[in-house]
Amino acid sequence: MQFTDFWYIVALSNQLRTNTVLARTVLGEWLAIFRGADGKPVALQDKCLHRSSRLSVGKVCNGALQCPYHGWVYDDSGQVIAVPAEGEDFKASLQRQAKCYATKEQDGYVYVRLTDSPSENFEPFSLPHYGEAGWETVRVINRFANNVTNCAENFIDIPHTAFVHPGVFRHSRQQKLEMTVKRCDGAVVVEYRNETSNLGWYSRFLNHQGAEIKHSDRFYLPNITSVEYQMGHHRHLFITSQSIPETDNSTLVYTDVTYNYGIWNKLARPFVWWTAQHIIRQDVAILKIQGEAIAKYGTHFSNTPADTIHVFVESIRTAISRGEDPRLLPNQSVKVTFWV
């Protein structure tokens, strides 16, 4: 198994308009993304075969992409279909074929996969309740100066919230919480107990009766985190983050907050968007600091029991980096007590 076996977001569907070309980077590969003549997304290696200019700086016309340097034209399969300097003498050749990658469009996203021979046919992650009646989704995009593993761990880490997001999302109260952390079939599932009202600004709105919260976190290989909070009738939300590996220390994160607040759904949208973006901006800052320290001193973590989630996530991603299938790792379940 390789990281290239999986699907990664390269654009929002509404970003990829007709006659638009987007430059993207996934796993260090430069991509030129556009829509072909049939309207479907196309992903070509962002390099012209002729003199190695970047195709993403070119232009799209009638579903074909023209290089900005000498005008070579590529169709939606990467085939060169015109060379202006050759005029009437031009002949198509199998030797003039840009590298083309598979694409899919789902849940308002455009995905790309960087291999034609995956270990198995994985599908893009299906967002919970996206587009369903009674549910709203707010979507934000942020770039982190850190790697996918550290981003994913941050998104399902409770202890940091009281210090990075004080007031907005939890206060430091030394409240005793419990969690069960399971690693199974290449996923990490965490179930929390004893949470009630430590939710920051919106505690009264989200859980005004102070009932115990149903809270679970999940990590799905290789780069997906999904946080679920259920606080009674019409107080249900999912925070799903897809961490896209651009380079070793740059991760573009697409976050969807999908919620059901009943009659408050539409009114809550700007508050949900602002709060999500505010919290993520704080995470961007702290992960930049962490990334700088790792770049200088390396990765030498000193874990506590509350970091069991991190240990399991790291074991899964390390297995993939070795070409192994993390679903073959032994199932584990650990009960942990920690304080926030």
Side-chain angles (χ1 to χ4, degrees):
M1 187 178 291
Q2 306 289 334
F3 286 116
T4 53
D5 291 342
F6 299 92
W7 295 93
Y8 298 97
I9 299 170
V10 288
L12 305 179
S13 291
N14 59 16
Q15 285 180 312
L16 196 61
R17 297 182 294 274
T18 303
N19 296 336
T20 296
V21 57
L22 302 175
R24 293 293 186 264
T25 302
V26 176
L27 291 168
E29 177 75 320
W30 285 359
L31 303 170
I33 313 295
F34 64 101
R35 291 194 184 275
D38 59 1
K40 294 181 179 179
V42 179
L44 301 183
Q45 186 179 66
D46 194 6
K47 181 181 77 71
C48 182
L49 299 173
H50 179 218
R51 306 297 292 178
S52 295
S53 183
R54 296 193 66 174
L55 297 176
S56 62
V57 188
K59 62 181 180 180
V60 180
C61 185
N62 298 322
L65 179 58
Q66 185 173 53
C67 175
Y69 197 6
H70 295 92
W72 283 33
V73 181
Y74 297 79
D75 68 9
D76 56 11
S77 69
Q79 178 75 45
V80 176
I81 57 174
V83 175
E86 295 181 359
E88 296 179 357
D89 295 332
F90 170 78
K91 293 181 180 179
S93 167
L94 294 178
Q95 303 303 313
R96 291 174 170 179
Q97 178 82 37
K99 187 176 289 187
C100 184
Y101 295 106
T103 63
K104 285 193 176 185
E105 200 159 6
Q106 176 180 301
D107 297 336
Y109 284 128
V110 176
Y111 290 84
V112 69
R113 186 183 64 199
L114 297 185
T115 181
D116 290 327
S117 53
S119 57
E120 65 179 82
N121 285 322
F122 297 103
E123 293 294 331
F125 183 77
S126 183
L127 294 172
H129 301 289
Y130 181 81
E132 290 184 15
W135 292 81
E136 291 286 327
T137 295
V138 167
R139 183 165 282 176
V140 294
I141 308 169
N142 291 272
R143 180 171 281 107
F144 289 74
N146 211 316
N147 62 40
V148 168
T149 302
N150 291 330
C151 287
E153 290 175 358
N154 170 270
F155 303 149
I156 52 176
D157 174 85
I158 284 185
H160 87 277
T161 58
F163 302 96
V164 178
H165 318 296
V168 184
F169 188 30
R170 293 195 180 90
H171 298 272
S172 182
R173 294 181 177 176
Q174 286 298 286
Q175 180 182 4
K176 184 179 179 180
L177 303 181
E178 296 176 353
M179 65 179 176
T180 300
V181 189
K182 298 179 182 179
R183 184 183 66 193
C184 179
D185 197 29
V188 180
V189 180
V190 191
E191 300 287 347
Y192 297 93
R193 293 176 294 279
N194 301 333
E195 284 190 274
T196 54
S197 60
N198 195 4
L199 296 173
W201 293 348
Y202 302 115
S203 291
R204 291 184 181 180
F205 171 72
L206 292 173
N207 191 21
H208 64 279
Q209 294 180 339
E212 184 171 355
I213 297 167
K214 293 181 179 179
H215 172 198
S216 63
D217 292 344
R218 291 173 170 81
F219 170 82
Y220 301 100
L221 57 85
N223 65 327
I224 311 293
T225 59
S226 185
V227 175
E228 179 182 7
Y229 283 95
Q230 190 166 1
M231 296 151 283
H233 187 59
H234 290 321
R235 294 294 186 275
H236 195 178
L237 75 151
F238 293 83
I239 306 168
T240 305
S241 295
Q242 303 192 55
S243 297
I244 311 306
E246 296 183 310
T247 64
D248 289 341
N249 63 350
S250 180
T251 302
L252 191 61
V253 179
Y254 293 81
T255 301
D256 287 87
V257 183
T258 299
Y259 61 93
N260 180 345
Y261 292 165
I263 62 172
W264 300 99
N265 270 2
K266 297 295 184 184
L267 185 62
R269 279 188 68 88
F271 300 99
V272 173
W273 184 93
W274 186 91
T275 303
Q277 185 57 65
H278 182 75
I279 290 172
I280 292 173
R281 193 176 292 118
Q282 293 172 327
D283 283 332
V284 167
I286 198 65
L287 283 171
K288 181 176 185 292
I289 293 169
Q290 181 197 36
E292 291 170 345
I294 289 173
K296 182 171 178 63
Y297 296 110
T299 303
H300 303 287
F301 296 144
S302 180
N303 292 316
T304 72
D307 298 311
T308 302
I309 306 169
H310 301 11
V311 174
F312 284 175
V313 169
E314 288 161 15
S315 70
I316 290 170
R317 292 201 33 95
T318 298
I320 300 174
S321 70
R322 292 174 177 168
E324 302 167 359
D325 188 338
R327 295 171 297 184
L328 301 179
L329 292 169
N331 295 344
Q332 286 187 260
S333 180
V334 180
K335 292 184 178 180
V336 176
T337 298
F338 64 105
W339 284 260
V340 177

Short mmCIF file of all heavy atoms in Angstrom, two decimals, residues 3-8 43 100-104 111-118 120-122:
data_model
loop_
_atom_site.label_atom_id
_atom_site.label_comp_id
_atom_site.label_asym_id
_atom_site.label_seq_id
_atom_site.Cartn_x
_atom_site.Cartn_y
_atom_site.Cartn_z
N PHE A 3 0.79 5.82 -0.31
CA PHE A 3 -0.06 7.00 -0.18
C PHE A 3 -0.69 7.38 -1.52
O PHE A 3 -1.76 7.99 -1.57
CB PHE A 3 0.74 8.17 0.39
CG PHE A 3 1.03 8.03 1.86
CD1 PHE A 3 2.33 7.91 2.32
CD2 PHE A 3 0.00 8.02 2.79
CE1 PHE A 3 2.60 7.77 3.66
CE2 PHE A 3 0.25 7.89 4.15
CZ PHE A 3 1.57 7.76 4.59
N THR A 4 -0.04 7.03 -2.62
CA THR A 4 -0.58 7.36 -3.95
C THR A 4 -1.81 6.53 -4.30
O THR A 4 -2.47 6.81 -5.31
CB THR A 4 0.49 7.16 -5.02
OG1 THR A 4 1.03 5.84 -4.91
CG2 THR A 4 1.60 8.20 -4.89
N ASP A 5 -2.14 5.51 -3.49
CA ASP A 5 -3.31 4.67 -3.77
C ASP A 5 -4.63 5.40 -3.50
O ASP A 5 -5.68 4.95 -3.94
CB ASP A 5 -3.29 3.41 -2.89
CG ASP A 5 -2.19 2.44 -3.27
OD1 ASP A 5 -1.66 2.56 -4.39
OD2 ASP A 5 -1.85 1.57 -2.44
N PHE A 6 -4.57 6.51 -2.77
CA PHE A 6 -5.79 7.15 -2.26
C PHE A 6 -6.14 8.41 -3.05
O PHE A 6 -5.34 8.96 -3.79
CB PHE A 6 -5.60 7.49 -0.77
CG PHE A 6 -5.35 6.28 0.08
CD1 PHE A 6 -4.06 5.85 0.35
CD2 PHE A 6 -6.41 5.55 0.60
CE1 PHE A 6 -3.82 4.72 1.12
CE2 PHE A 6 -6.20 4.43 1.37
CZ PHE A 6 -4.90 4.00 1.63
N TRP A 7 -7.38 8.87 -2.83
CA TRP A 7 -7.90 10.05 -3.51
C TRP A 7 -7.70 11.29 -2.64
O TRP A 7 -7.95 11.26 -1.44
CB TRP A 7 -9.40 9.87 -3.80
CG TRP A 7 -9.69 8.77 -4.76
CD1 TRP A 7 -9.98 7.48 -4.46
CD2 TRP A 7 -9.72 8.88 -6.19
NE1 TRP A 7 -10.19 6.75 -5.62
CE2 TRP A 7 -10.04 7.59 -6.69
CE3 TRP A 7 -9.52 9.92 -7.09
CZ2 TRP A 7 -10.15 7.33 -8.05
CZ3 TRP A 7 -9.64 9.66 -8.45
CH2 TRP A 7 -9.95 8.39 -8.92
N TYR A 8 -7.27 12.38 -3.28
CA TYR A 8 -7.00 13.63 -2.57
C TYR A 8 -7.74 14.78 -3.25
O TYR A 8 -7.76 14.89 -4.48
CB TYR A 8 -5.50 13.92 -2.55
CG TYR A 8 -4.70 12.87 -1.83
CD1 TYR A 8 -4.06 11.85 -2.54
CD2 TYR A 8 -4.59 12.86 -0.44
CE1 TYR A 8 -3.32 10.87 -1.88
CE2 TYR A 8 -3.86 11.89 0.23
CZ TYR A 8 -3.22 10.90 -0.49
OH TYR A 8 -2.51 9.92 0.16
N ALA A 43 -6.72 16.03 -14.75
CA ALA A 43 -5.51 16.35 -14.00
C ALA A 43 -4.31 15.89 -14.82
O ALA A 43 -4.12 14.69 -15.04
CB ALA A 43 -5.53 15.67 -12.64
N CYS A 100 -1.28 11.78 -17.22
CA CYS A 100 -2.66 12.14 -16.87
C CYS A 100 -3.09 11.28 -15.69
O CYS A 100 -2.85 10.06 -15.67
CB CYS A 100 -3.57 11.90 -18.07
SG CYS A 100 -5.29 12.41 -17.82
N TYR A 101 -3.75 11.89 -14.72
CA TYR A 101 -4.15 11.19 -13.51
C TYR A 101 -5.67 11.06 -13.43
O TYR A 101 -6.42 11.90 -13.93
CB TYR A 101 -3.64 11.94 -12.28
CG TYR A 101 -2.14 11.98 -12.18
CD1 TYR A 101 -1.44 13.15 -12.45
CD2 TYR A 101 -1.41 10.85 -11.84
CE1 TYR A 101 -0.06 13.20 -12.38
CE2 TYR A 101 -0.02 10.89 -11.75
CZ TYR A 101 0.65 12.06 -12.02
OH TYR A 101 2.02 12.10 -11.94
N ALA A 102 -6.11 9.99 -12.74
CA ALA A 102 -7.54 9.74 -12.57
C ALA A 102 -8.16 10.81 -11.68
O ALA A 102 -7.55 11.28 -10.72
CB ALA A 102 -7.76 8.36 -11.96
N THR A 103 -9.39 11.20 -12.00
CA THR A 103 -10.12 12.18 -11.19
C THR A 103 -11.52 11.66 -10.87
O THR A 103 -12.05 10.80 -11.58
CB THR A 103 -10.25 13.54 -11.92
OG1 THR A 103 -11.01 13.34 -13.12
CG2 THR A 103 -8.90 14.13 -12.24
N LYS A 104 -12.09 12.21 -9.82
CA LYS A 104 -13.49 11.96 -9.46
C LYS A 104 -14.07 13.23 -8.87
O LYS A 104 -13.34 14.08 -8.35
CB LYS A 104 -13.61 10.82 -8.44
CG LYS A 104 -13.41 9.44 -9.00
CD LYS A 104 -13.85 8.35 -8.02
CE LYS A 104 -13.74 6.97 -8.66
NZ LYS A 104 -14.27 5.90 -7.79
N TYR A 111 -11.46 15.31 -6.84
CA TYR A 111 -10.40 14.47 -6.28
C TYR A 111 -9.47 13.98 -7.39
O TYR A 111 -9.88 13.81 -8.54
CB TYR A 111 -11.00 13.23 -5.60
CG TYR A 111 -11.75 13.50 -4.32
CD1 TYR A 111 -13.08 13.89 -4.33
CD2 TYR A 111 -11.13 13.33 -3.08
CE1 TYR A 111 -13.78 14.12 -3.15
CE2 TYR A 111 -11.81 13.55 -1.90
CZ TYR A 111 -13.13 13.93 -1.94
OH TYR A 111 -13.83 14.16 -0.77
N VAL A 112 -8.22 13.69 -7.00
CA VAL A 112 -7.26 13.09 -7.91
C VAL A 112 -6.57 11.92 -7.22
O VAL A 112 -6.42 11.93 -5.99
CB VAL A 112 -6.22 14.14 -8.40
CG1 VAL A 112 -5.30 14.57 -7.27
CG2 VAL A 112 -5.41 13.60 -9.57
N ARG A 113 -6.18 10.93 -8.00
CA ARG A 113 -5.38 9.81 -7.49
C ARG A 113 -4.13 9.71 -8.35
O ARG A 113 -4.21 9.77 -9.59
CB ARG A 113 -6.17 8.51 -7.57
CG ARG A 113 -5.46 7.31 -6.91
CD ARG A 113 -6.26 6.03 -7.09
NE ARG A 113 -6.35 5.69 -8.52
CZ ARG A 113 -7.26 4.86 -9.02
NH1 ARG A 113 -8.16 4.29 -8.24
NH2 ARG A 113 -7.27 4.58 -10.31
N LEU A 114 -2.97 9.55 -7.71
CA LEU A 114 -1.71 9.65 -8.43
C LEU A 114 -1.15 8.33 -8.93
O LEU A 114 0.00 8.28 -9.37
CB LEU A 114 -0.66 10.35 -7.54
CG LEU A 114 -0.97 11.79 -7.15
CD1 LEU A 114 0.18 12.40 -6.38
CD2 LEU A 114 -1.29 12.64 -8.37
N THR A 115 -1.94 7.26 -8.87
CA THR A 115 -1.49 6.00 -9.45
C THR A 115 -2.61 5.37 -10.26
O THR A 115 -3.79 5.50 -9.92
CB THR A 115 -1.02 5.01 -8.36
OG1 THR A 115 -0.56 3.80 -8.99
CG2 THR A 115 -2.14 4.65 -7.40
N ASP A 116 -2.22 4.68 -11.32
CA ASP A 116 -3.20 3.96 -12.14
C ASP A 116 -3.36 2.51 -11.68
O ASP A 116 -4.23 1.79 -12.16
CB ASP A 116 -2.77 3.97 -13.61
CG ASP A 116 -2.89 5.35 -14.24
OD1 ASP A 116 -3.80 6.10 -13.84
OD2 ASP A 116 -2.06 5.67 -15.11
N SER A 117 -2.49 2.09 -10.76
CA SER A 117 -2.54 0.70 -10.29
C SER A 117 -2.52 0.66 -8.76
O SER A 117 -1.52 0.26 -8.17
CB SER A 117 -1.36 -0.09 -10.86
OG SER A 117 -0.13 0.57 -10.59
N PRO A 118 -3.61 1.11 -8.13
CA PRO A 118 -3.66 1.11 -6.67
C PRO A 118 -3.69 -0.31 -6.12
O PRO A 118 -4.03 -1.26 -6.82
CB PRO A 118 -4.97 1.85 -6.37
CG PRO A 118 -5.82 1.61 -7.57
CD PRO A 118 -4.87 1.57 -8.74
N GLU A 120 -5.75 -1.44 -4.11
CA GLU A 120 -7.14 -1.82 -4.29
C GLU A 120 -7.93 -0.57 -4.64
O GLU A 120 -7.42 0.54 -4.53
CB GLU A 120 -7.71 -2.50 -3.05
CG GLU A 120 -7.81 -1.62 -1.81
CD GLU A 120 -8.41 -2.38 -0.64
OE1 GLU A 120 -7.68 -3.11 0.03
OE2 GLU A 120 -9.63 -2.20 -0.41
N ASN A 121 -9.17 -0.72 -5.05
CA ASN A 121 -9.96 0.42 -5.51
C ASN A 121 -10.62 1.14 -4.34
O ASN A 121 -11.79 0.92 -4.05
CB ASN A 121 -11.00 -0.01 -6.54
CG ASN A 121 -10.38 -0.31 -7.89
OD1 ASN A 121 -9.45 0.39 -8.32
ND2 ASN A 121 -10.85 -1.34 -8.56
N PHE A 122 -9.86 1.98 -3.67
CA PHE A 122 -10.42 2.82 -2.64
C PHE A 122 -11.33 3.88 -3.27
O PHE A 122 -11.15 4.25 -4.43
CB PHE A 122 -9.32 3.51 -1.84
CG PHE A 122 -8.41 2.57 -1.10
CD1 PHE A 122 -7.14 2.27 -1.59
CD2 PHE A 122 -8.83 1.97 0.08
CE1 PHE A 122 -6.30 1.40 -0.91
CE2 PHE A 122 -8.00 1.09 0.75
CZ PHE A 122 -6.73 0.81 0.26
#
